Amino acid sequence: MSTTKSNDTGALRPALRTAGALAVVVALLLVPAFTTQDVVFNVGSAVCAIVLALSFNIIFGYGGVVSFGHASLFATGGYVAGIALNNGHGFWAAMAAAGVVGAVVGALFALVALRASGIYFAIITLAMGQIVFVVAEQWDDVTGGISGLSGVGVDSVSLGFTTVSLPDADAYYRLVVVMGVLFVGAMWLLSKTRFTRLLRATRDDDVRVAALGLNVYRWRFVAFVWSSLFAALAGGLYAPLGGLVYPELARWDASAEPILATLLGGSGSFWGPVVGATVFALIDFFARDLNSLRVIITGAILLLVLLAAPGGLTSIRERVRRHRGKGQPATDTEKDVTAAVGGTDV
Amino acid sequence: MDQLLGAVLNGLTSGSIIFMFAAGLTVVFGVAGILNFAHGGVFMLAAYTAASILQRSSGSSISYLYAIIGAVAVAALLSVALEVLVIRRFYQYQHEYMLLGTYALLLVLEGSAEITFGVDAYFAPMPGWATNGFSVGAVFVNWYSVLVIVLGVAMAAGLVLWLRHTSSGKVIKAAAIEPEASRSLGINVPLVLTLVFALGGVFAGLAGVVLAPNQAIDLSLGSTFVVQAFAVVVVGGLGSISGAYVAALVLSLANSLWFTYLPGVPQVALYLVMVLILVFRPEGLFSVRKVTA
Amino acid sequence: MKGKTMGHSTDSMLEVVGLTALWGTARAVENVSFSVGASEGIALLGRNGMGKSTTLRSLLGVGPHVQGLIRMDGQDLRKVPPHRRARSGMSLVFEDRKVLPHITVDENIRMGRRALSGRKAPSVDEIYAGFPLLHDLRDRIAGNLSGGEQQMLVLARAVASAPRVLLLDEPVEGLAPVVVEQLVEAIRWVRANLDLALVVAEHKLWFTRQCTERVLVLVDGSVAFEGTWAEFDADPRVESFLTVA
């Protein structure tokens, strides 16, 4: 059916798009060859921020509720992976532990917060995120308290048939790129499923979806757990990158970052958060010596986007296309619901 | 017993300050339907203004008057400017987007504070009389705490009475509850919204002055307070002034009791109690959608 | 007053020329023109969704984006914000009534007097004479009244502002016939005691017939018929305008 295609963002041909994606991955892998340690760390962090922003968009862009505590799930993943690695466990075990604990904590968040919606949901998740932050800051024996966990690192990664050693930060950075691409790919596949179409329908019109006999709460709960899983995996991936996990990663203002990245790029498209997180990373990097100006610039850009293009950067092209009379707006409850419920989807 | 009394006194004092800050947020939310992160920035700049006036004049009596005037003026003007120039354009958006828009404003205000006042903390002197006080058992109660608690009660009662019993209060409630009907009654609703922001600014300014002598004023002040105040506003029931007052005291008492009796355990009381209350009453203690007394 | 000194011919209190209202890019009302005399009453008819409410809301300025000219007593209202239109004598009684639920009946009526800005208005006691029902309810909280009582209250509140143009949007929607009779009485009292132009948007003919002289029919946002009730009854097309095809 042609309707299922309408959610795609671009008019780019698939082959061209695959080539473009490959080029980006290759470029990312080549970063250490041409730049400094500083840049490598920042690009690696940006990859983790992209995964975090995409994970946030599962619950925001598709689920329609704003989680203001997502950084605490990222941090949870970071702490769990850090503790596992520092206790001599391997990379895969650390990542698995990060994902599992993150999903469980996220399920707890969802159980409580999904009783409310709208602004109440946002504030409850903010409060729960702050609980994680305070625990991270004050449970000294386990988390290292204010100074955090240091010396987190990965020496080697087992691939079953062989073990690849990771002698330096550049090597781990390449692992971050590979894993990051895998996570993005997994979320992309998730975005193509019937599950996501239904979720999108709950966002656009939860009353109608409920009237169709679907349990909106359950769909959002599952979405939140998926979202938490990927947020925690991003955190787990991040921990060894700088070797340090610290409480501020969980604080509410860190939770604002994936939200802002998503809004900046646009929540209506899968790639919106990727664009937003990338732009944010660039702003952060180039404005890093400007101190106070950096915050002002970030705030001002956000204000501009909210006021001028409330749909985010990726919505601008959509609007131009619509203006020219080509194509329809990307989301449509009717289509999503019929495609998902009627079972005519791919 | 003395330990309990001390904990309660601390809880009431900090709860009263948080309420003064949250009162402005509550009124603005009730009338304009906007949960305003930028309120934290306004409050922080007011506190900086007060602290820098007091620091410079090394605490002469008249300087406290100057500090009050300066802080209130800065906060009210800034609040009005933000509403007229930016926030007004957000009213058409959903609550979550307004939340983000005002967060962006908070970032701008924090950056501006850093440029204006630098990264070093400011310390304002406490007036001599405020450090005196009296003893209850082994607990020393200073006049500063008494003043703060009394101010909190007065502000809560004053606001409730004003909204309930004066004609200007009734106009504000009318504009909050039925904006369109209010317009058809000749009420200038946009002006009412601007004035409500001015009022919120005045409260933020007063809270800033009251806080200044008690704590180091630094760049984290706005975001620290705004999160606690959001907790208070939401737990109280969005838009309810009496709810915000009760919530401020309950959450602060929980915090100080936890601190006193569970010293080694992470200080999560405020957020934990908040989450528990919201689990059982998802729309807060006094759930109303619009500003009420 | 102002209009007369500016030299407009002011047989008409309200003058609407080429009113077009847009919700986004959808036209809810298209090129509607009509005028209402200073003590005239007209009925705005049309099926649901034909633009009656939008027209009235546009007149007060609380509707969608609007093009075209709206003049009250000769004064161009295009740049005038809603609360000033209200103060210069335009009063809209909304479809969903919008009493101020937190205050008493009496306070609601007195709130209406805020929009007077100097015009001579009936005293509150005089209003109670025209709305005896409300006199008995004066100390009740408005939010607790029945639908009919609330409708009376918003009409009385509008009257308290001594409107020169009174706009009623679906005033009898959802009311019991006996309550509608009372409302007709009230509207007649208002018209007998106040000099005002009345526009009633309503699709119940038997009601509007009793309180207006002229008829305007909207079909798909445009004027399809304009004339007196006698002309309306004689026109063979009107049935098709008002019944669902």
Side-chain angles (χ1 to χ4, degrees):
Chain A
M1 269 185 73
S2 63
T3 51
T4 53
K5 198 86 187 113
S6 69
N7 292 330
D8 280 2
T9 49
L12 285 176
R13 298 217 176 84
L16 210 67
R17 205 192 287 181
T18 314
L22 274 175
V24 170
V25 174
V26 170
L28 282 174
L29 289 172
L30 288 176
V31 164
F34 297 99
T35 57
T36 61
Q37 283 267 251
D38 186 26
V39 175
V40 170
F41 172 72
N42 279 287
V43 177
S45 303
V47 171
C48 297
I50 286 173
V51 175
L52 176 62
L54 278 173
S55 79
F56 166 78
N57 204 33
I58 294 176
I59 187 68
F60 174 64
Y62 306 148
V65 283
V66 177
S67 159
F68 226 116
H70 245 57
S72 71
L73 298 166
F74 179 90
T76 301
Y79 272 106
V80 171
I83 291 165
L85 290 168
N86 281 359
N87 283 304
H89 295 285
F91 176 74
W92 299 115
M95 288 303 283
V100 169
V101 175
V104 169
V105 173
L108 212 64
F109 270 46
L111 268 180
V112 176
L114 280 173
R115 295 169 58 91
S117 62
I119 202 160
Y120 295 92
F121 181 88
I123 299 298
I124 295 174
T125 47
L126 192 157
M128 299 194 75
Q130 286 296 93
I131 292 178
V132 173
F133 162 65
V134 173
V135 170
E137 193 188 49
Q138 298 176 7
W139 195 12
D140 296 11
D141 298 345
V142 175
T143 62
I146 311 176
S147 39
L149 281 183
S150 53
V152 179
V154 180
D155 307 329
S156 63
V157 54
S158 155
L159 294 179
F161 54 92
T162 175
T163 298
V164 181
S165 78
L166 304 168
D168 55 14
D170 287 354
Y172 182 73
Y173 162 83
R174 292 197 185 90
L175 180 61
V176 167
V177 171
V178 172
M179 294 303 294
V181 168
L182 286 177
F183 292 152
V184 172
M187 283 188 275
W188 188 79
L189 289 176
L190 185 67
S191 81
K192 296 291 154 195
T193 57
R194 174 169 174 272
F195 169 76
T196 302
R197 272 196 296 280
L198 260 175
L199 195 60
R200 225 202 294 258
T202 71
R203 175 201 62 189
D204 293 342
D205 192 345
D206 52 1
V207 177
R208 175 150 47 150
V209 171
L212 284 167
L214 297 167
N215 185 341
V216 174
Y217 178 91
R218 202 186 72 191
W219 286 101
R220 287 194 179 151
F221 179 84
V222 174
F224 201 98
V225 173
W226 274 110
S227 173
S228 311
L229 170 73
F230 282 109
L233 288 174
L237 201 55
Y238 174 81
L241 192 66
L244 184 66
V245 191
Y246 47 96
E248 284 77 14
L249 289 176
R251 207 169 53 192
W252 69 272
D253 45 340
S255 286
E257 282 177 21
I259 307 179
L260 302 177
T262 302
L263 280 182
L264 183 68
S267 63
S269 129
F270 178 82
W271 300 105
V274 179
V275 173
T278 309
V279 171
F280 256 114
L282 289 171
I283 297 173
D284 259 5
F285 185 73
F286 287 107
R288 67 191 184 286
D289 296 329
L290 299 175
N291 295 324
S292 44
L293 272 181
R294 189 181 71 92
V295 199
I296 296 182
I297 291 171
T298 311
I301 289 177
L302 278 167
L303 280 176
L304 278 179
V305 170
L306 275 173
L307 292 173
L313 293 176
T314 50
S315 77
I316 291 172
R317 193 180 58 180
E318 187 65 45
R319 285 205 284 183
V320 171
R321 268 172 48 192
R322 214 184 310 167
H323 189 69
R324 290 193 194 128
K326 293 179 192 167
Q328 289 294 309
T331 58
D332 186 334
T333 320
E334 200 76 52
K335 276 184 228 154
D336 286 335
V337 173
T338 38
V341 179
T344 53
D345 53 315
V346 190
Chain B
M1 188 59 208
D2 289 338
Q3 208 182 8
L4 177 66
L5 198 63
V8 169
L9 182 70
N10 280 337
L12 290 179
T13 310
S14 57
S16 298
I17 295 181
I18 291 177
F19 168 73
M20 286 180 215
F21 175 83
L25 271 181
T26 301
V27 175
V28 165
F29 181 84
V31 177
I34 197 163
L35 205 44
N36 183 12
F37 267 122
H39 198 69
V42 170
F43 163 75
M44 176 179 66
L45 286 165
Y48 265 114
T49 307
S52 66
I53 291 173
L54 293 173
Q55 212 172 3
R56 212 159 294 170
S57 58
S58 58
S60 67
S61 301
I62 191 76
S63 66
Y64 287 94
L65 183 65
Y66 294 152
I68 292 172
I69 295 172
V72 168
V74 163
L77 290 176
L78 190 58
S79 204
V80 167
L82 293 179
E83 198 273 340
V84 171
L85 297 175
V86 185
I87 293 174
R88 183 171 282 198
R89 288 164 233 281
F90 292 145
Y91 293 146
Q92 51 178 325
Y93 295 167
Q94 291 171 325
H95 281 161
E96 298 93 311
Y97 281 87
M98 295 204 242
L99 200 63
L100 295 165
T102 59
Y103 177 73
L105 281 177
L106 176 62
L107 290 181
V108 173
L109 292 178
E110 285 184 335
S112 312
E114 191 177 335
I115 290 175
T116 318
F117 296 101
V119 288
D120 296 329
Y122 279 53
F123 297 90
M126 180 83 79
W129 57 265
T131 53
N132 298 331
F134 53 92
S135 293
V136 181
V139 178
F140 181 71
V141 182
N142 64 20
W143 291 116
Y144 174 80
S145 296
V146 174
L147 175 78
V148 167
I149 294 169
V150 168
L151 266 179
V153 174
M155 199 182 268
L159 262 176
V160 168
L161 292 175
W162 175 59
L163 286 169
R164 224 177 251 171
H165 295 295
T166 66
S167 88
S168 54
K170 284 173 187 162
V171 165
I172 287 185
K173 278 171 77 176
I177 295 171
E178 284 293 355
E180 284 190 333
S182 301
R183 291 181 143 210
S184 84
L185 293 171
I187 295 172
N188 186 345
V189 175
L191 182 67
V192 169
L193 290 176
T194 308
L195 290 176
V196 163
F197 269 87
L199 185 72
V202 169
F203 290 153
L206 286 174
V209 177
V210 171
L211 181 78
N214 194 38
Q215 176 176 341
I217 306 301
D218 63 21
L219 293 163
S220 69
L221 196 64
S223 47
T224 311
F225 258 76
V226 88
V227 167
Q228 296 184 15
F230 274 8
V232 162
V233 173
V234 173
V235 167
L238 287 166
S240 164
I241 306 251
S242 37
Y245 186 70
V246 172
L249 296 192
V250 167
L251 293 179
S252 297
L253 281 172
N255 219 17
S256 70
L257 289 172
W258 184 296
F259 184 76
T260 308
Y261 292 104
L262 299 168
V265 186
Q267 300 295 305
V268 296
L270 188 136
Y271 301 109
L272 199 62
V273 171
M274 172 187 179
V275 168
L276 285 178
I277 290 177
L278 291 176
V279 165
F280 294 105
R281 288 191 66 97
E283 302 217 327
L285 291 174
F286 297 69
S287 35
V288 280
R289 273 315 180 96
K290 300 290 186 181
V291 66
T292 61
Chain C
M1 281 271 291
K2 200 190 275 175
K4 277 167 192 157
T5 54
M6 283 162 68
H8 285 285
S9 65
T10 49
D11 273 339
S12 58
M13 172 58 74
L14 178 69
E15 204 181 342
V16 177
V17 183
L19 182 77
T20 298
L22 305 139
W23 289 114
T25 54
R27 278 157 200 266
V29 172
E30 191 152 16
N31 199 22
V32 165
S33 303
F34 64 93
S35 66
V36 194
S39 51
E40 192 185 17
I42 74 162
L44 202 56
L45 303 182
R47 296 199 303 269
N48 284 332
M50 289 298 165
K52 302 192 299 288
S53 280
T54 309
T55 303
L56 294 194
R57 296 174 71 93
S58 303
L59 295 180
L60 185 65
V62 294
H65 179 67
V66 162
Q67 295 160 359
L69 183 64
I70 301 167
R71 269 209 291 251
M72 183 165 67
D73 201 7
Q75 185 197 1
D76 184 350
L77 294 183
R78 264 177 299 192
K79 295 244 163 75
V80 180
H83 67 277
R84 291 212 173 280
R85 298 188 195 193
R87 285 185 200 172
S88 45
M90 178 181 286
S91 195
L92 170 57
V93 172
F94 290 89
E95 191 174 1
D96 47 1
R97 304 193 182 119
K98 298 186 191 289
V99 295
L100 300 173
H102 58 294
I103 54 180
T104 64
V105 167
D106 197 62
E107 287 172 325
N108 259 277
I109 293 175
R110 286 174 200 279
M111 199 67 101
R113 295 170 68 83
R114 294 184 54 84
L116 276 178
S117 51
R119 282 189 308 284
K120 191 185 161 328
S123 70
V124 176
D125 287 338
E126 284 172 290
I127 290 175
Y128 281 132
F131 295 82
L133 171 74
L134 295 178
H135 186 262
D136 302 336
L137 300 170
R138 59 193 299 171
D139 293 323
R140 294 265 297 275
I141 295 292
N144 299 336
L145 301 184
S146 72
E149 291 162 350
Q150 292 195 357
Q151 188 63 54
M152 283 297 180
L153 175 55
V154 287
L155 182 60
R157 189 179 66 188
V159 169
S161 69
R164 297 188 293 171
V165 173
L166 178 60
L167 312 168
L168 304 181
D169 193 359
E170 308 249 355
V172 302
E173 182 69 30
L175 297 187
V178 55
V179 183
V180 177
E181 293 296 339
Q182 294 176 4
L183 200 64
V184 170
E185 286 306 312
I187 293 173
R188 285 196 173 141
W189 178 87
V190 170
R191 296 200 62 193
N193 289 275
L194 272 83
D195 203 22
L196 51 74
L198 176 71
V199 182
V200 185
E202 177 61 68
H203 54 260
K204 293 202 174 68
L205 293 184
W206 58 271
F207 167 77
T208 38
R209 204 183 277 276
Q210 293 186 72
C211 43
T212 58
E213 294 89 51
R214 242 165 15 96
V215 186
L216 200 71
V217 181
L218 291 183
V219 173
D220 290 332
S222 299
V223 178
F225 171 87
E226 189 179 1
T228 62
W229 279 104
E231 288 164 343
F232 176 83
D233 292 332
D235 195 309
R237 297 173 303 160
V238 293
E239 187 144 350
S240 69
F241 296 153
L242 298 177
T243 53
V244 181

